[in-house]
Amino acid sequence: MKALRLEHWQSPAVLRDVDRPEPGPGEVLVQVGGAGACHSDLHLMHEFGEGQLPWSPPFTLGHENAGWVHTLGDGVTGLEPGQPVAVVGAWGCGTCERCRADLETYCDHPERTRAPGGGGGLGLDGGMAEFLLVPDARHLVPLPDGLEPVHAAPLTDAALTPYHAVRRSWGKLGPGATAVVIGVGGLGHLGIQVLHATTAARIIAVDPRESARDLAKRSGADLVLAPGDALAATVREATGGIGADVVLDFVGSDETLLSAAAMVRQLGDLTLVGLGGGTLPVSFFSPPYEVSVQSTYWGNRHELVEVLDLASRGLLHAEVRVFGLEEAVTAYELLAAGAIDGRAVIAP
Ligand code: NAD
Ligand code: ZN
Ligand code: ZN
């Protein structure tokens, strides 16, 4: 079968012929229906090097995946061939305290997994191929009726990650609160929808691209802004001089982190999701008093179930641009050039 492979750090992915995997005991072979192209893959291709992550190439890309159950390994019950499923992406050991608490992103026994903190597409072979080998049936969530794999795939990361991040701040997002989303790409446009569907907050979205700001409006933002020197002051003005209760940074550059710190209010949350490589100086006087600064990583199985439920009720909808596997390299080039609105999804 064809697969989009990351063969080395610091190199673009390439389409190769690989053997179709066979599911062993407990494993499930999934026929891929959609695999989202995440900006993290661009960081993998162009920025990371040996030793920076706990795993290395070669592997097939594609860590946000959905499709249909194809073949069940020995002993797998509760799934039927042909059944549409979404894949929970982080594959921990499954037995430690964290994994049993549905926190496989932070498995306590990385030595028991082959890709600590990762999974298919992040250390192990992912979904940018005709078939994906899933090492345990617990990583599969049946799709609700009416949700196609091509739209479900981005929900497993581009929606799940903001859902996990927003959830941490639910207590600060009641009526009268303001949330700011910085970066309205794959994650950001779904982050706005998550805020809209699960909180009462007023939503301000920031992106330099006009088409992304249009997407932000369609996704439920109340106010859209372009970044620039006046950004933090404009957010303060729009919040009666107070600042935003929660700022979600889906870019993570020096510039976005500094403006996030300048627009968040006292006791607010500054949540860093983007891997833009920026740093934020922290002193007693900045960010404002008692702001919680946190990074967040991906999400959990039960959160994905909730995300899929919101999508099945029409409250979350990934805006997708679909590419064939042959066009996957082009899709990443377009993503790198800022020419994708919403999410590029590879449908093999
Ligand atoms: P994307 O390329 O689809 O979207 C990024 C958006 O940010 C684009 O719309 C771009 O125009 C906008 N942008 C660029 N510079 C900006 C600025 N200065 N101010 C405001 N907006 C700006 O990327 P994505 O797939 O949504 O991923 C976003 C980031 O999140 C990436 O760094 C990715 O690696 C990271 N990510 C993190 C996690 C996690 O678990 N923490 C999970 C997935 C992705
Ligand atoms: Zn991702
Ligand atoms: Zn574990």
Side-chain angles (χ1 to χ4, degrees), residues 248-294:
L248 297 147
D249 185 350
F250 293 106
V251 178
S253 64
D254 285 341
E255 175 201 334
T256 58
L257 282 167
L258 276 177
S259 71
M263 66 176 73
V264 67
R265 76 183 289 189
Q266 292 170 355
L267 292 168
D269 284 352
L270 193 174
T271 303
L272 167 59
V273 182
L275 308 182
T279 54
L280 177 70
V282 173
S283 69
F284 190 79
F285 296 106
S286 174
Y289 294 128
E290 301 203 28
V291 163
S292 300
V293 178
Q294 56 198 331

Side-chain angles (χ1 to χ4, degrees), residues 7 16 38 176 188 241:
E7 296 196 318
R16 294 276 186 245
C38 179

